[in-house]
Amino acid sequence: MDWLMDPTAWAGLLTLIVLEIVLGIDNLVFIAILADKLPAAQRDRARVIGLALALVMRLALLSAISWLATLTRPLFSVAGFSFAGRDLILLAGGLFLLFKATLELHERLEGSGDHAGNRKVEAGFWLVVAQIVLLDAVFSLDSVITAVGMVNELSIMMIAVVVAMAIMLLASKPLTRFVNAHPTVVVLCLSFLLMIGLSLVADGLGFHIPKGYLYAAIGFSILIEAFNQTARRNALRHAARRPLRARTADAILTMLGGRRASQGTDESAPSPAQGAFAEEERHMVSGVLTLADRSVRSIMTPRSEISWVDLTAGADEQRARILDTPHSYMPVCRRNFDDVAGVARAKDLLASLLETGAIDASRLRAPIYVHESIPILDLMDVLRDSRGQLVLVTDEYGTVLGLVTPVDLLEAIAGDFPDEDETPSIQPLGPGRWRMDGSADLRHVEQALDLPSGLAGPGYTSLAGFLLDQFAELPPVGAWLDHAGYRYTVRELDDNRISVVEVARQDEP
């Protein structure tokens, strides 16, 4: 043990430990990939047995240095190539590594291990251990030959091998966990094994490839993969800032075949077969999932379209107004809509007019008011408690902006249900052309045009509001706007509002 006092020997020992660890990384990667084929309870045991056998094999080979020397002597020649025992071992190990890595890559890229709910196929314990031992022999031979070329003291070689294997044993479990948690890393590691297998075959045939070239390529690939993992982590962190409900809605809509409403959705979400879900089904599911994100203004009937009865008008005028309106519930007001006396069913109002010739204000139901900022889900509770009665929507000053009924909620989910005196707000005119009301809900416009969300903005929820925001003024009849592949042309104005818009796809004649 005189080398303990020699600084050069210590430097050689440290260098050899580092080299042994570097040369053993490929062994660790292969063990991690093979151990993943075992049940979870057996993986640690397989790793320990594999590395222990590698240690025993390397120590045994170091003890047989004289025998190793005979492995470099040519045994026979074929077509000008001389083969020694070492060459045959490297050639066989390289071919096995190429074969095994190719099979593993095929299994992972084809995804044949988990189809239609089948459980992942698990290999036998001793079969995996046997494969580990076979590769250990090849990797150990390469490692030991490196050790013999580095130092002359057998004890230094053995200490370096033992220390390196102890470090590898400690690092094997985190490495296995990391490799198994990142599918792209597994594919990258299998690509490394293919490259190492090719180098072993080339070395066995007498074409030596410097290990520095291999390690430089591996190091560069690892650096790129580290960038990819960092970018993916940042994308997931950014996506996590969005509400869970929104992320869930995007994922479900993607699975149904709809367009993503926003970025940051998991790109690995499965896509359905063409035609698996009808367009109406996708729209209804989308309406349910996005309902909570909508405002009351986007689903209410605006003030300008509300039918109401004037309590101070004559009986004939009241009767004509009630008969002309197909709605079952109506607000009853005094002279103007801001003075609401109550709410009543149309049939009750007609019965009162027939019996007494006037509407009895004392028999009206008290109106229910909600603020325009109320969440949709809370509004549903209010409508449920109202037992079918309409609900009036007001702003912060108490001005009535519109009203909401259970039918409005249903239309927000399933599309328009026009009354007898109404026409659909969106009417197809032919391939790539539509006639739309200015009051058409922007979400329904997006669905009709197959557009991702993006038309709606702060302060408006209708097609007319979108156009006014784009024009920044009331446009004249015939004014047009090109946006996202469609041309929006103003066809009719009603006083100071846009009433009819024609929409045409720009690639249509």
Side-chain angles (χ1 to χ4, degrees):
M1 304 294 287
D2 295 337
W3 63 269
L4 292 174
M5 307 301 296
D6 186 2
T8 305
W10 281 100
L13 174 62
L14 294 176
T15 304
L16 189 55
I17 289 174
V18 173
L19 284 176
E20 290 291 326
I21 294 174
V22 172
L23 291 173
I25 289 177
D26 45 14
N27 198 5
L28 275 182
V29 170
F30 192 77
I31 290 176
I33 294 174
L34 285 181
D36 184 49
K37 293 180 150 311
L38 294 171
Q42 297 181 0
R43 291 172 189 169
D44 290 345
R45 184 181 168 204
R47 285 188 303 100
V48 173
I49 291 178
L51 290 174
L53 290 174
L55 175 60
V56 172
M57 199 168 303
R58 294 183 187 189
L59 292 177
L61 289 174
L62 284 173
S63 302
I65 294 179
S66 58
W67 176 74
L68 282 177
T70 63
L71 293 179
T72 59
R73 298 172 186 171
L75 299 177
F76 58 89
S77 298
V78 175
F81 291 97
S82 297
F83 292 93
R86 173 183 176 275
D87 299 330
L88 295 177
I89 294 175
L90 293 178
L91 192 59
L95 290 174
F96 176 77
L97 201 56
L98 288 173
F99 173 76
K100 189 64 181 174
T102 302
L103 285 183
E104 294 289 335
L105 272 174
H106 179 269
E107 179 181 337
R108 279 164 173 80
L109 295 180
E110 291 294 327
S112 58
D114 191 10
H115 277 306
N118 296 332
R119 293 182 58 192
K120 187 171 82 170
V121 178
E122 294 177 343
F125 179 80
W126 292 110
L127 177 61
V128 171
V129 171
Q131 296 180 52
I132 293 175
V133 171
L134 182 59
L135 263 296
D136 276 341
V138 179
F139 292 132
S140 296
L141 182 65
D142 192 36
S143 176
V144 169
I145 291 175
T146 301
V148 172
M150 283 284 301
V151 295
N152 297 322
E153 291 288 342
L154 180 62
S155 56
I156 294 179
M157 300 178 198
M158 289 189 170
I159 292 174
V161 168
V162 171
V163 173
M165 293 303 292
I167 294 175
M168 290 167 60
L169 184 61
L170 293 175
S172 62
K173 188 170 184 179
L175 178 63
T176 302
R177 189 184 304 115
F178 178 79
V179 166
N180 294 336
H182 299 82
T184 56
V185 174
V186 175
V187 174
L188 186 64
C189 291
L190 289 172
S191 303
F192 293 162
L193 294 180
L194 283 174
M195 188 165 57
I196 294 169
L198 180 62
S199 70
L200 292 178
V201 172
D203 209 1
L205 294 174
F207 301 101
H208 179 66
I209 300 177
K211 290 295 178 69
Y213 293 166
L214 297 180
Y215 293 144
I218 290 174
F220 180 75
S221 300
I222 291 175
L223 180 63
I224 297 301
E225 179 62 21
F227 290 155
N228 288 335
Q229 293 293 335
T230 302
R232 181 174 177 81
R233 245 190 336 266
N234 291 338
L236 292 175
R237 189 182 302 114
H238 177 72
R241 296 186 186 131
R242 298 177 59 237
L244 178 61
R245 185 181 65 247
R247 284 180 280 149
T248 304
D250 278 351
I252 294 176
L253 291 177
T254 302
M255 293 174 64
L256 291 175
R259 293 176 180 236
R260 277 182 173 81
S262 57
Q263 300 297 326
T265 327
D266 186 7
E267 297 292 338
S268 63
S271 298
Q274 185 69 22
F277 296 93
E279 183 178 359
E280 293 78 8
E281 292 176 310
R282 293 199 302 269
H283 289 171
M284 288 182 65
V285 174
S286 172
V288 172
L289 294 175
T290 59
L291 184 62
D293 295 326
R294 302 185 65 179
S295 66
V296 175
R297 294 175 64 97
S298 68
I299 69 170
M300 73 180 184
T301 300
R303 175 185 178 125
S304 60
E305 299 179 11
I306 295 176
S307 299
W308 54 279
V309 177
D310 186 359
L311 191 60
T312 62
D316 292 338
E317 182 182 345
Q318 293 174 341
R319 186 181 301 105
R321 188 61 179 270
I322 295 170
L323 293 175
D324 190 48
T325 303
H327 306 300
S328 59
Y329 269 94
M330 301 179 64
V332 180
C333 310
R334 297 183 180 90
R335 292 189 175 84
N336 61 73
F337 191 65
D338 289 318
D339 187 3
V340 181
V343 177
R345 290 186 296 184
K347 66 175 186 178
D348 294 336
L349 294 176
L350 287 174
S352 180
L353 285 172
L354 290 174
E355 291 176 3
T356 64
I359 296 175
D360 186 359
S362 63
R363 300 177 62 180
L364 299 176
R365 297 188 182 187
I368 300 175
Y369 294 95
V370 296
H371 189 261
E372 60 177 330
S373 63
I374 184 174
I376 294 289
L377 298 182
D378 293 342
L379 176 62
M380 290 178 64
D381 292 334
V382 174
L383 287 171
R384 188 179 295 112
D385 295 338
S386 71
R387 299 187 179 276
Q389 181 176 328
L390 58 84
V391 173
L392 299 174
V393 181
T394 64
D395 62 10
E396 59 183 315
Y397 304 107
T399 304
V400 178
L401 304 176
L403 62 81
V404 181
T405 67
V407 175
D408 293 323
L409 280 176
L410 180 60
E411 288 182 338
I413 296 173
D416 285 341
F417 289 87
D419 291 322
E420 293 180 4
D421 63 339
E422 296 178 341
T423 57
S425 60
I426 300 176
Q427 304 176 63
L429 299 179
R433 293 177 62 242
W434 296 264
R435 177 185 175 91
M436 301 185 181
D437 289 347
S439 59
D441 183 7
L442 281 179
R443 181 178 168 277
H444 295 159
V445 173
E446 292 166 355
Q447 290 178 345
L449 303 183
D450 195 22
L451 286 174
S453 61
L455 295 182
Y460 61 87
T461 59
S462 66
L463 179 58
F466 165 72
L467 293 177
L468 288 171
D469 180 74
Q470 295 293 315
F471 283 112
E473 62 180 359
L474 182 66
V477 173
W480 50 267
L481 169 73
D482 290 339
H483 184 274
Y486 291 88
R487 172 163 291 186
Y488 303 82
T489 306
V490 178
R491 290 303 181 198
E492 294 181 19
L493 295 177
D494 184 5
D495 294 331
N496 60 345
R497 74 183 186 94
I498 300 173
S499 58
V500 177
V501 178
E502 186 176 309
V503 183
R505 190 180 294 117
Q506 287 186 288
D507 57 3
E508 296 291 333

